[in-house]
Amino acid sequence: MTRQRIPLITELPLVIWLVIVWGALWQDFSAGNLIFGAVIAYGVANVFYLPPVELSGRFNVLWALPFAARFLVKLVAASVEVFWLGVSKGPRLRNAVVAVQLRSSSDFLVTATGHALSLIPGSLVLEVDRSTSTLYLHCLNVNSDDDAAAIRRDVRATEAWLIRILGTKEDLALLHAEDRFAREREAGR
């Protein structure tokens, strides 16, 4: 069974990422080490079957900077909250697994959303259902359905930020339509 030849430009994000990982693993970002890492990365990408990373071709810096600030604020706030819950409730803390279906079916966006959520203390992605773009998160301090609904809203808000930053035009159009529908529903009340 032969696989279709993937152009270098399509493989480039994967090769660059593998070179960065290579440098980080060796803790050496010298030119010689990175060139050797690039040779190995190119070989890995062409010997082993790895699906190409499908990027949208867009990156919006105007949304990326506020997202980074939001992420840092959430990171600090969640760290303080997890510390406080550990001190005040300890083992009596109630946890839950919350399923959240995402808007996008892009593996890249689902992965980015899952990683952004897992980096913030208090939640961890346990499983991803690629067929439905559903994340299953283990979350701390979930005592009611309202708490689970708040987690779902926060996850979908994180995904919305990432769609605005690097989502496809189709994902962005879906997000805009959803926002319009919410505004019209709110105006109708």
Side-chain angles (χ1 to χ4, degrees), residues 37 119 124 126 130-131 162 189:
L119 289 172
L124 178 69
L126 297 175
R130 286 182 65 203
S131 65
L162 290 169
R189 285 188 181 185

Side-chain angles (χ1 to χ4, degrees), residues 63-120:
W63 282 99
L65 295 175
F67 175 77
R70 174 187 184 268
F71 178 81
L72 289 174
V73 167
K74 290 182 76 56
L75 183 69
V76 171
S79 298
V80 170
E81 180 184 8
V82 168
F83 170 76
W84 177 248
L85 289 170
V87 170
S88 65
K89 291 190 177 183
R92 297 182 315 274
L93 189 62
R94 292 195 61 196
N95 306 316
V97 174
V98 179
V100 184
Q101 187 170 6
L102 301 178
R103 297 170 188 90
S104 177
S105 60
S106 161
D107 287 341
F108 183 67
L109 276 173
V110 171
T111 302
T113 303
H115 283 296
L117 296 169
S118 289
L119 289 172
I120 297 174

